[in-house]
Amino acid sequence: MSQAKATMSVRKANDAASVVDIHGEVTAAAENALMDAYTQASTAGARAIILNFGGLEYMNSSGIGLLVTLLIRVNRQKQRLLACGLSEHYRQIFELTRLNEAIGIYGTEAEALAAVG
Amino acid sequence: MSTTPDVKTREEAHWAQPVSKLKVSDVPAGAINLNVEGRQVVGPLQGFGQLWQKTYRVRLSGSKAAPTDVIKTWKENFPKFWPAGNKFYAPLTGIKPGEVAVLNLSMPGGMPLSTGMLVLYADDESFTLMTPQGHMESGWITFSAYEEDGAAVAQVQSIARANDPMYEIGFMLFAHKVQEDFWHHTLRSLAAHFGVEGQVQMFKTCVDSRWQWSQVKNIWHNAAIRTALGMPGQLVGNIFRRQKDGG
């Protein structure tokens, strides 16, 4: 498999939400980084996970597949998954793949945090 | 005055443009073209049944083919590697993002099933097909190749759930095995094309074991039922078209 070209860092935004800052390319090679970031965010007790795509350079269809499996894990833990910082192109891809029906999409991190409440 | 060259970004070149409803073009004579035109695409979140991720791999040991060679060949000969009796009518332009293909599948008992697929994504090392309403599954399937320890590995990975309760019963009774045999056959045929007697490995995970009762309504679009109901009309139409063309 190809080398991971994505880095994910986790920060606690408030008591309810953690933000995963995504940088680089989200492909199948990013699976471990994404799932580790989710585990770290959950350990901090977050009820909502916000994926910040502001640093995203590229995502292929395997990357979109990773988001599906992440979403199922999040739902199983009765958490919420939100996204912010998506470019117009990837907003359209979320609509095409209909992920936007289950992942709340917001323009900025502040808007996503406001939605978490 | 300078002109801006028509250069697509990687994103634009590899991903399908958003579509609200599928449109079929260039269907060859003899194909059953039902259950595709006007349908919406559906992903792993929209179906009814348990969500499965299935991965099939074959290692092309001994072949010098690079992953890009494997994908180029796979795209150009996609239906050739399928088991007999199943047809994939690719668009004339080939497997390219946004194109819609018509599928005529042979169900157990010989019943035909007409459905389709949208080419959601395609690059030099992978391509992904997404299902429409009425297809047996709701989700997508990615065909890819990569290099590992000096040899190309060809992979099929699906993430999908049965589209409606009728299909889910079918999967529980027999369709998982039929599907798995289908992709084993495909990968073995692909490997044989490169002169390799390939051993196919399969890994499967039930990602979500719950049924999504909110999606029971999907049965309205069930392509198996609709193909059975629509076949007589399609056959009569084909006969009239042939007579008209001949006269």
Side-chain angles (χ1 to χ4, degrees):
Chain A
M1 289 288 237
S2 56
Q3 291 286 309
K5 293 177 187 166
T7 57
M8 320 252 168
S9 51
V10 180
R11 54 196 164 82
K12 191 166 177 170
N14 57 38
D15 286 345
S18 285
V19 178
V20 178
D21 292 307
I22 298 172
H23 291 271
E25 300 192 354
V26 178
T27 63
E31 181 174 10
N32 288 343
L34 182 63
M35 297 309 164
D36 288 350
Y38 167 65
T39 304
Q40 198 182 327
S42 288
T43 308
R47 284 188 291 112
I49 311 292
I50 300 171
L51 301 176
N52 178 4
F53 287 97
L56 179 71
E57 289 170 16
Y58 186 69
M59 180 157 51
N60 68 7
S61 57
S62 297
I64 286 282
L66 289 183
L67 298 183
V68 173
T69 50
L70 175 65
L71 176 67
I72 301 296
R73 286 182 67 177
V74 167
N75 287 345
R76 210 180 282 154
Q77 297 302 317
K78 305 203 184 320
Q79 296 165 314
R80 284 175 68 191
L81 189 61
L82 302 90
C84 67
L86 283 165
S87 67
E88 182 56 31
H89 173 79
Y90 286 111
R91 269 184 179 247
Q92 289 181 353
I93 297 304
F94 271 55
E95 285 169 24
L96 176 62
T97 55
R98 301 182 65 172
L99 287 186
N100 65 322
E101 295 174 16
I103 301 176
I105 311 252
Y106 299 89
T108 64
E109 185 180 319
E111 289 169 3
L113 283 169
V116 173
Chain B
M1 201 172 89
S2 66
T3 55
T4 307
D6 183 19
V7 178
K8 284 185 173 180
T9 63
R10 257 198 309 176
E11 288 86 351
E12 289 167 341
H14 296 163
W15 284 96
Q17 292 291 310
V19 284
S20 54
K21 293 192 171 169
L22 298 181
K23 188 163 176 50
V24 182
S25 55
D26 305 323
V27 180
I32 308 168
N33 179 16
L34 294 170
N35 310 311
V36 190
E37 186 83 28
R39 294 287 187 273
Q40 295 178 342
V41 286
V42 283
L45 306 177
Q46 282 77 41
F48 169 82
Q50 296 181 327
L51 180 61
W52 287 88
Q53 180 169 289
K54 296 185 183 180
T55 306
Y56 312 80
R57 281 181 199 145
V58 67
R59 188 177 164 78
L60 305 180
S61 300
S63 166
K64 289 194 167 67
T68 49
D69 300 328
V70 175
I71 292 301
K72 185 171 184 290
T73 299
W74 211 344
K75 283 179 183 169
E76 288 171 355
N77 301 279
F78 189 65
K80 187 180 151 188
F81 304 124
W82 281 14
N86 299 285
K87 308 269 187 209
F88 179 93
Y89 298 103
L92 291 176
T93 49
I95 294 180
K96 293 194 172 156
E99 297 289 353
V100 176
V102 170
L103 277 69
N104 289 177
L105 303 174
S106 175
M107 304 305 285
M111 278 294 292
L113 186 153
S114 173
T115 181
M117 296 291 254
L118 168 74
V119 182
L120 175 67
Y121 180 93
D123 64 22
D124 290 344
E125 294 187 349
S126 70
F127 57 100
T128 299
L129 306 178
M130 186 172 182
T131 60
Q133 291 168 315
H135 190 281
M136 298 81 72
E137 289 190 299
S138 182
W140 52 74
I141 182 162
T142 297
F143 306 86
S144 60
Y146 57 92
E147 193 178 323
E148 190 178 69
D149 300 331
V153 176
Q155 176 174 288
V156 178
Q157 185 172 65
S158 64
I159 180 150
R161 50 173 107 229
N163 231 328
D164 67 41
M166 195 180 112
Y167 285 137
E168 178 70 350
I169 292 168
F171 271 101
M172 290 166 69
L173 293 176
F174 59 85
H176 276 300
K177 172 144 189 355
V178 172
Q179 182 185 55
E180 288 155 17
D181 288 348
F182 187 104
W183 295 118
H184 273 79
H185 176 101
T186 299
L187 281 179
R188 277 198 306 269
S189 301
L190 177 70
H193 181 91
F194 288 98
V196 176
E197 194 178 327
Q199 293 288 319
V200 179
Q201 289 180 299
M202 186 185 74
F203 313 89
K204 59 179 180 179
T205 312
C206 184
V207 179
D208 184 7
S209 60
R210 291 170 306 176
W211 289 340
Q212 300 201 124
W213 288 102
S214 62
Q215 305 294 332
V216 166
K217 61 184 186 301
N218 293 350
I219 202 163
W220 173 251
H221 292 290
N222 185 295
I225 297 171
R226 284 178 175 261
T227 304
L229 295 175
M231 274 286 286
Q234 179 95 15
L235 289 172
V236 171
N238 283 350
I239 291 166
F240 275 116
R241 258 192 301 279
R242 252 181 247 140
Q243 282 182 342
K244 196 178 161 193
D245 292 345

